Amino acid sequence: MTIQDINKTYSRIIEWLDRKELKNAFDGLQGLIAGSGHYDFQDKLNELQETYKYMLRYRMDGIQDPMQEQIYRQIQASTYELADMVKQKALAVDSPLYFYSRRRSLKQSCAVSYTYLYQQLSSEPDIQAAHADISAKQQLEAASLTLFNKIWISGPLTTEEVCELQAILQDTEMPESVGCQVVSALLLSLEEYFDKEKMTLLFDAASSQKQEISVRALIAILLVLYKYRKRTSLYPFISDRMHALAEALPSFSQTIQTIILRFILSRETEKISKKLWNEILPGMMKLSPTLGEKINLKDLNPEQLGDEMNPEWQDSIFADKELSRMMTEFSELQMEGADVLHSTFVHLKNYPFFREIGNWFLPFDAGHSVLTSGFKGNQNELHLFEQVTQTSFMCNSDQYSFFLSMLQLPESARTAMMGQFDGQAAEMLRQNQEELQEKHSKVEQIAGRYIQDLYRFHKLFPSHLDFDDIFTYTLDFHHLAEVKPFISDAVSLTAIAEYYLRKNYFQDALNIFEELIQQDNENDILYQKAGYCRQMNGDLEGALKDYLHADLLNPNSKWIIRRIAVCYKTLKQPDKALEYYHRYEVLNPDNLSVQISIGHCHLELKNYNEALKYYYKVDYLDTTSHKAWRPIAWCSFLTGKYDQARKYYKKILEAQPNTQDFLNAGHTEWVLQNNKAALAYYKQAVEKEGGDWFKFYKQFEQDIADLKNAGIEEEEIPLMLDQLRYML
């Protein structure tokens, strides 16, 4: 059986188990065992099948057994676990994947017990010596990496091993970094296969008094719950431990919410990187005071269904300002905690330090031997660079990259750099650090940095393709059954939904707004936001339905009234659009955009004289943009006021004419029997299209009916067009 066959068979088994098709799963497992030759699992498979057959027989005979549901769950869970074990053993010898190759190469170095490593890491004389002796420090760091690797490549943990690891996690004297590494190793191992004992250890870590360990463990728990969401319900202890954590940690729900928001923000990383390289940096290179183009896209139809949010929502969601300068926008992203530095450090992960997988998750320590040995005891230099990293939003991984890159500079260059940091610069660094602490809570900072560390690993680790990239998934943790009880309240869900909304993840936001509407169907704001999400997803009919519901609940919202009007107009129902535009007109009679939109509705309804009234009003009140000239000219043509149409087209052509302007001016001259002028305008229209006759004719063809209504004989049309061709 090839490696590809093993993986395909395993995937099918998991799919069958997810659908609770146990007979198919058993058959698939039988094939996997036979194909891989690992018959030592046969007895376990036979036992599971026999138990399942007995359960089915009792069920079919109508025998009531209060333990039946529990037995069914245990069979399913055990089958999942058996499939994992068979796959692991089948791939152990030959798989080139990084996990299996490292498991083979590290087998000897990780043969020591957890108790032995615990003793190494907790030896007080060794810890004290490490501060003074670089070799002692290196020995402790090596022990920590061995612990990480041993957990990562381990199989299902025994009861004894669980107790040994619990002792490490519960030791309050143990360096915090050790507990953090235990958590990351457990997470990485659980990404390979599910082990309920390792999951139990994550819950133990989440109960730690050390916040860094606790928050990291909660992040790991959420990721594991998401990855195995089809099977976690088979383990009742998970729900029990979640509730126990909620009782033990006063801010449990708030921390979960913070983590969820941070994962939503991580989705922005690639967009931010592209924006940085494609817009911000090039923009800085060519920025000039003359920047500013005049765009007139709304002249013909200013009431397109825009994407502006209701200003009234700003009380409940973050203000998304129109930033006047690109650097200000970048600064805002930084202050929000967005991962703005990912692209900066992409090429700074090739140092030997990052060859050890455990170092990608290591909490930053300026006293790490790889740094202190490089700075050769220059504590002032080390302290300064540490200040820089602490105030620059760098995650742990990037802080190591920064220090390692500084070590590549000649000592003279580093000294010169230090000389530029006077007392004022140091004060600025201190103020930046205080601002960061005020803006983001400790939990936000820990979660943000650890999620960025995880992001770096899954995107930049040399063998990252051998790992399941968690950041390619939706990661909608709020839908997980084990998480829902703690964030299903309206306040938590609203915060998550509005963060999705702000970041333009409209479907994710809509899913939550729909859930909130089920809880409170008298809240017009929820219907507004649901409608807005549908609109931005292109579902105008669904958006209109929500907007109409919001209007019933709050008939005085100008934003909603106008949205409904524009929806009807976009859906080609100008008569209904007019009803709502007139309602808006009562509330805001001087809005010229609405006035011209009313005119457009009358135009579509062929109420040309009524349309002209509104266009005249706009033209009278708006003495600068002249956006009403084109509709006045065309309506004048349609109503037989050809001299007036000619007057307006003359003004339009003196400004910035487009193809349609030349075309309509030509129509006007033709109807006024000025054929030569008509031909000249038609020729300019073709030239405006780059000489493309077919583009010109496509537009001309749409106006033939109007030309006939204006008195142009049908047989004259091909003659005019042929004459035009001869002129081109």
Side-chain angles (χ1 to χ4, degrees):
M1 206 173 195
T2 66
I3 291 173
Q4 188 177 21
D5 291 335
I6 292 169
N7 286 322
K8 281 185 176 179
T9 304
Y10 172 78
S11 295
R12 282 198 297 268
I13 293 169
I14 296 301
E15 287 174 7
W16 284 322
L17 286 170
D18 289 345
R19 296 198 296 264
K20 298 185 178 182
E21 298 175 11
L22 265 64
K23 173 62 168 65
N24 286 338
F26 291 143
D27 292 343
L29 261 172
Q30 185 65 70
L32 186 59
I33 290 171
S36 62
H38 293 294
Y39 288 100
D40 45 332
F41 294 107
Q42 188 65 56
D43 288 344
K44 180 62 176 177
L45 175 60
N46 293 340
E47 178 188 334
L48 286 170
Q49 290 209 73
E50 287 303 312
T51 304
Y52 187 52
K53 287 177 183 177
Y54 279 122
M55 192 204 82
L56 289 177
R57 191 178 307 158
Y58 289 142
R59 185 99 175 186
M60 294 305 105
D61 291 344
I63 300 174
Q64 298 296 322
D65 184 352
M67 298 294 291
Q68 194 174 83
E69 191 59 38
Q70 182 179 337
I71 293 170
Y72 184 38
R73 284 202 306 268
Q74 288 173 348
I75 293 171
Q76 291 178 73
S78 297
T79 309
Y80 273 116
E81 292 166 10
L82 181 60
D84 289 342
M85 287 188 287
V86 176
K87 184 193 91 163
Q88 291 263 319
K89 194 159 187 179
L91 295 175
V93 176
D94 299 318
S95 175
L97 290 178
Y98 191 78
F99 173 77
Y100 295 100
S101 64
R102 289 297 284 163
R103 174 184 269 186
R104 293 191 291 268
S105 64
L106 291 170
K107 186 175 182 181
Q108 191 63 37
S109 62
C110 292
V112 295
S113 69
Y114 290 117
T115 298
Y116 173 78
L117 291 170
Y118 177 32
Q119 290 170 349
Q120 272 193 299
L121 291 164
S122 61
S123 174
E124 189 174 338
D126 288 344
I127 294 174
Q128 290 176 346
H131 291 292
D133 183 356
I134 190 71
S135 63
K137 177 71 171 173
Q138 288 172 339
Q139 287 177 11
L140 288 177
E141 290 164 359
S144 179
L145 280 174
T146 301
L147 176 63
F148 180 96
N149 288 327
K150 182 175 176 61
I151 296 171
W152 168 45
I153 65 171
S154 65
L157 295 176
T158 65
T159 302
E160 182 182 357
E161 289 174 324
V162 170
C163 291
E164 291 172 336
L165 286 170
Q166 283 175 330
I168 295 175
L169 289 171
Q170 291 167 3
D171 188 342
T172 56
E173 300 300 319
M174 182 71 65
E176 189 176 64
S177 61
V178 174
C180 290
Q181 289 295 75
V182 170
V183 168
S184 295
L186 289 169
L187 171 59
L188 219 57
S189 184
L190 281 161
E191 282 189 15
E192 291 296 332
Y193 68 96
F194 185 81
D195 179 5
K196 54 182 179 291
E197 301 299 343
K198 290 175 182 171
M199 194 68 179
T200 297
L201 286 169
L202 281 182
F203 280 110
D204 291 341
S207 304
S208 173
Q209 296 177 3
K210 298 176 180 178
Q211 202 171 27
E212 183 85 33
I213 297 173
S214 177
V215 173
R216 285 178 176 231
L218 285 173
I219 290 171
I221 288 169
L222 289 179
L223 288 171
V224 175
L225 289 177
Y226 185 86
K227 182 175 177 65
Y228 299 103
R229 56 194 179 280
K230 296 291 182 66
R231 66 168 97 170
T232 49
S233 62
L234 304 174
Y235 300 93
F237 84 90
I238 292 177
S239 182
D240 294 340
R241 291 298 300 265
M242 288 289 282
H243 281 88
L245 278 179
E247 290 181 13
L249 303 175
S251 58
F252 178 74
S253 294
Q254 183 60 45
T255 302
I256 294 294
Q257 180 183 314
T258 298
I259 292 170
I260 291 173
L261 296 182
R262 285 285 153 178
F263 270 106
I264 297 173
L265 193 58
S266 73
R267 292 191 190 183
E268 301 287 288
T269 304
E270 292 302 325
K271 289 194 287 186
I272 291 170
S273 295
K274 289 178 182 177
K275 190 177 187 70
L276 176 65
W277 290 107
N278 298 337
E279 297 178 31
I280 295 177
L281 293 181
M284 290 172 64
M285 297 296 290
K286 63 183 181 181
L287 200 60
S288 72
T290 60
L291 183 66
E293 299 177 6
K294 296 179 180 179
I295 300 174
N296 243 350
L297 295 179
K298 292 187 176 181
D299 273 5
L300 284 178
N301 194 353
E303 277 289 291
Q304 296 291 344
L305 196 60
D307 58 2
E308 69 278 2
M309 297 185 190
N310 188 347
E312 296 172 10
W313 301 348
Q314 298 305 324
D315 289 338
S316 59
I317 64 176
F318 304 91
D320 211 358
K321 304 173 183 177
E322 280 293 323
L323 302 172
S324 59
R325 291 162 42 197
M326 286 182 284
M327 282 308 296
T328 306
E329 181 177 359
F330 195 63
S331 176
E332 288 285 327
L333 289 168
Q334 275 191 311
M335 288 309 298
E336 188 181 5
D339 192 352
V340 299
L341 297 177
H342 174 67
S343 59
T344 305
F345 287 92
V346 163
H347 304 294
L348 295 176
K349 303 297 181 187
N350 298 319
Y351 299 110
F353 176 81
F354 290 111
R355 291 174 192 165
E356 281 288 350
I357 193 170
N359 286 339
W360 287 77
F361 311 99
L362 189 65
F364 180 73
D365 175 14
H368 194 284
S369 63
V370 75
L371 305 180
T372 54
S373 61
F375 281 94
K376 298 177 181 178
N378 190 335
Q379 293 302 311
N380 288 335
E381 196 173 62
L382 195 63
H383 178 65
L384 174 63
F385 287 131
E386 186 177 13
Q387 277 187 296
V388 172
T389 60
Q390 288 176 347
T391 59
S392 61
F393 305 89
M394 290 185 198
C395 63
N396 300 284
S397 172
D398 287 352
Q399 289 182 64
Y400 280 112
S401 293
F402 174 77
F403 269 74
L404 292 168
S405 65
M406 289 298 102
L407 289 175
Q408 304 305 304
L409 297 175
E411 189 171 353
S412 59
R414 296 204 308 266
T415 303
M417 188 180 296
M418 274 192 65
Q420 297 179 20
F421 285 90
D422 54 14
Q424 187 176 359
E427 178 62 20
M428 282 182 61
L429 288 175
R430 188 188 62 78
Q431 290 177 357
N432 286 342
Q433 186 173 10
E434 289 177 356
E435 186 178 2
L436 175 63
Q437 291 171 346
E438 289 176 7
K439 181 83 175 176
H440 302 290
S441 67
K442 184 69 173 175
V443 170
E444 285 181 293
Q445 293 179 55
I446 294 170
R449 284 181 169 143
Y450 187 52
I451 290 169
Q452 288 177 19
D453 289 334
L454 290 169
Y455 193 92
R456 300 291 183 277
F457 171 75
H458 284 286
K459 301 296 183 182
L460 304 178
F461 183 66
S463 300
H464 68 275
L465 294 178
D466 287 352
F467 294 82
D468 189 16
D469 186 355
I470 58 177
F471 292 96
T472 61
Y473 296 101
T474 307
L475 299 180
D476 48 350
F477 301 113
H478 51 281
H479 287 147
L480 298 175
E482 294 83 2
V483 178
K484 260 182 174 282
F486 312 105
I487 54 168
S488 59
D489 61 287
V491 174
S492 298
L493 286 178
T494 299
I496 296 169
E498 289 175 347
Y499 204 73
Y500 275 131
L501 181 62
R502 184 192 171 205
K503 293 301 175 184
N504 297 337
Y505 298 115
F506 300 112
Q507 188 57 52
D508 296 294
L510 177 60
N511 293 338
I512 302 180
F513 284 131
E514 288 178 330
E515 187 176 339
L516 288 167
I517 286 172
Q518 295 297 317
Q519 298 178 19
D520 181 7
N521 60 8
E522 296 297 317
N523 189 326
D524 67 289
I525 299 297
L526 292 177
Y527 282 103
Q528 288 184 28
K529 292 173 181 176
Y532 181 81
C533 291
R534 293 187 205 278
Q535 173 208 317
M536 298 307 292
N537 283 335
D539 179 12
L540 289 187
E541 292 184 354
L544 178 59
K545 185 176 178 181
D546 282 330
Y547 288 151
L548 288 169
H549 204 128
D551 185 50
L552 285 174
L553 295 170
N554 180 11
N556 296 317
S557 170
K558 290 194 291 185
W559 187 87
I560 274 294
I561 294 170
R562 192 165 180 178
R563 284 274 146 172
I564 294 171
V566 179
C567 276
Y568 274 130
K569 187 174 183 300
T570 308
L571 292 169
K572 304 300 181 185
Q573 299 181 54
D575 52 336
K576 292 184 178 179
L578 267 177
E579 176 188 342
Y580 285 88
Y581 276 129
H582 284 310
R583 276 183 59 189
Y584 189 91
E585 186 182 21
V586 172
L587 298 172
N588 193 350
D590 295 327
N591 188 300
L592 297 184
S593 180
V594 169
Q595 294 295 313
I596 205 167
S597 294
I598 293 173
H600 288 338
C601 289
H602 283 297
L603 180 62
E604 289 186 50
L605 291 167
K606 302 187 185 305
N607 301 329
Y608 303 128
N609 287 316
E610 195 66 26
L612 273 172
K613 291 180 184 178
Y614 284 92
Y615 295 145
Y616 287 148
K617 180 180 178 180
V618 173
D619 191 39
Y620 176 77
L621 295 174
D622 180 9
T623 58
T624 54
S625 70
H626 309 301
K627 63 175 65 176
W629 283 0
R630 285 187 175 92
I632 288 174
W634 185 240
C635 273
S636 298
F637 177 86
L638 294 174
T639 54
K641 300 172 183 176
Y642 304 120
D643 289 328
Q644 180 170 283
R646 172 189 276 173
K647 181 181 74 171
Y648 274 94
Y649 279 122
K650 183 179 179 181
K651 291 195 289 185
I652 293 168
L653 295 179
E654 289 172 353
Q656 292 181 329
N658 57 37
T659 303
Q660 197 70 46
D661 295 329
F662 287 116
L663 186 67
N664 294 342
H667 295 339
T668 304
E669 294 301 327
W670 193 3
V671 171
L672 289 170
Q673 300 182 356
N674 191 352
N675 292 350
K676 289 184 179 180
L679 281 167
Y681 285 137
Y682 288 151
K683 182 182 179 184
Q684 287 178 280
V686 177
E687 291 170 350
K688 198 73 174 174
E689 291 294 344
D692 190 325
W693 170 266
F694 294 101
K695 283 186 179 180
F696 163 81
Y697 182 72
K698 190 174 181 180
Q699 296 180 64
F700 182 95
E701 190 177 31
Q702 295 174 359
D703 296 340
I704 288 177
D706 294 318
L707 287 170
K708 289 180 182 178
N709 289 335
I712 300 297
E713 298 293 335
E714 186 171 357
E715 58 269 18
E716 292 293 320
I717 295 174
L719 299 176
M720 174 66 80
L721 293 174
D722 277 343
Q723 181 60 43
L724 177 60
R725 286 193 185 93
Y726 278 115
M727 293 174 62
L728 297 175

